[in-house]
Amino acid sequence: MTSTHTPIWRATVLTLFPEMFPGPLGISLAGRALASGLWTLEARDIRASATDRHRSVDDTPAGGGPGMVLRADVLAAAIDATGLPQDHPRLVMSPRGRPLTQARVAELAAGPGPLIVCGRFEGIDQRVIDARGLEEVSIGDYVLSGGEIAAMTVIDACVRLLPGVMGKLESGTDESFSDGLLEYPQYTRPQIFEDRGIPEVLASGDHAKVAKWRRAEAERLTESRRPDLWAARPIAPESGKKRKPPKITTDG
Ligand code: ADE
């Protein structure tokens, strides 16, 4: 036992469909870690904070238009009822949020664990986003029917980084994105699959040559598939010199 006590990483989800959780987070790597107490998950029903006799959580948009908007008063009450200390980041999943990155995932995993609000309907009253300081987060440029699957994505990406969750220490860092590159291709047995062999270098036993080949493949894939990542990579390939830092835009 050590004298410094790290609290268990705690994910709190506010949703109209708490029965969706843990869902896939209860299975495999995240599920085993959940069962063994390496993290905790609480899915809370936003509707429990509704006050009228119909338990309504949404209303028509001010100014007109289609769909329904999640009410500020109900959601604010649901957030406050969690009793979570201020140091827990407060996220709201939204396709108009800042795109999730591995860097943000690593920060969230290093903290006490986020509160994540899942939107439904056309949106959430802007006043609760402002008043409770919610960070809008998107998992990609496509629209889901609600924030729950997006919230699971955030949690899954964080949980696998928690201490003790992944078996091999390096499997969390030697992978896509952590060094700004996509992952190199992998091969295993059989030696020949439908007339296709395995790159010779991988059977050479020369670890330096293997590492060099993998790095080159990672760079080739990143440059061709993700020119955005390629342009923003922190280190110039081969030279080992720092590149000019990419321009940061501050328009949002
Ligand atoms: N809710 C609906 N679509 C979403 C997306 N792409 N990211 C995060 N939350 C969402």
Side-chain angles (χ1 to χ4, degrees):
M1 285 291 266
T2 52
S3 55
T4 48
H5 170 74
T6 313
I8 292 168
W9 196 84
R10 173 178 179 187
T12 310
V13 179
L14 291 180
T15 170
L16 291 164
F17 301 99
E19 66 275 21
M20 284 191 186
F21 292 85
L25 297 172
I27 296 169
S28 187
L29 190 79
R32 283 196 302 273
L34 185 61
S36 61
L38 291 171
W39 66 290
T40 69
L41 173 64
E42 186 187 9
R44 298 172 63 100
D45 192 351
I46 295 170
R47 201 174 294 277
S49 295
T51 50
D52 66 359
R53 94 191 150 80
H54 301 293
R55 312 239 88 191
S56 51
V57 293
D58 57 338
D59 212 328
T60 53
M68 299 291 271
V69 177
L70 201 53
R71 286 169 54 139
D73 54 348
V74 175
L75 184 54
I79 292 169
D80 298 346
T82 64
L84 271 184
Q86 281 289 337
D87 62 325
H88 291 253
R90 297 169 166 188
L91 277 45
V92 56
M93 303 316 300
S94 162
R96 81 166 188 213
R98 215 180 269 279
L100 185 67
T101 61
Q102 187 64 23
R104 185 68 185 119
V105 165
E107 284 173 5
L108 291 169
L115 168 71
I116 309 183
V117 175
C118 302
R120 284 265 152 186
F121 318 117
E122 295 308 302
I124 295 174
D125 190 309
Q126 183 62 40
R127 294 169 297 176
V128 70
I129 297 174
D130 300 337
R132 292 298 179 274
L134 303 182
E135 170 189 345
E136 292 180 85
V137 175
S138 167
I139 63 158
D141 291 339
Y142 38 80
V143 182
L144 305 171
S145 53
E148 285 78 9
I149 291 173
M152 289 175 192
T153 303
V154 173
I155 294 169
D156 181 84
C158 290
V159 164
R160 59 189 290 284
L161 299 183
L162 298 178
V165 171
M166 270 196 297
K168 275 216 316 229
L169 203 66
E170 64 270 27
S171 44
T173 49
D174 183 26
E175 62 182 9
S176 289
F177 303 120
S178 26
D179 61 356
L181 294 174
L182 301 182
E183 209 175 355
Y184 50 79
Q186 296 276 21
Y187 299 86
T188 185
R189 277 181 280 275
Q191 196 63 37
I192 303 291
F193 166 68
E194 296 181 353
D195 297 332
R196 295 160 194 266
I198 290 174
E200 251 172 53
V201 57
L202 299 180
S204 70
D206 183 334
H207 296 305
K209 254 169 84 179
V210 169
K212 199 169 168 215
W213 179 85
R214 286 179 168 165
R215 176 82 193 182
E217 284 293 291
E219 289 176 356
R220 181 183 63 79
L221 286 172
T222 307
E223 186 173 19
S224 67
R225 291 183 186 175
R226 293 293 302 275
D228 56 326
L229 288 179
W230 185 246
R233 74 200 183 283
I235 308 286
E238 280 21 302
S239 80
K241 272 187 294 189
K242 270 245 182 301
R243 285 159 47 85
K244 261 203 312 212
K247 271 218 195 88
I248 309 288
T249 49
T250 51
D251 57 345

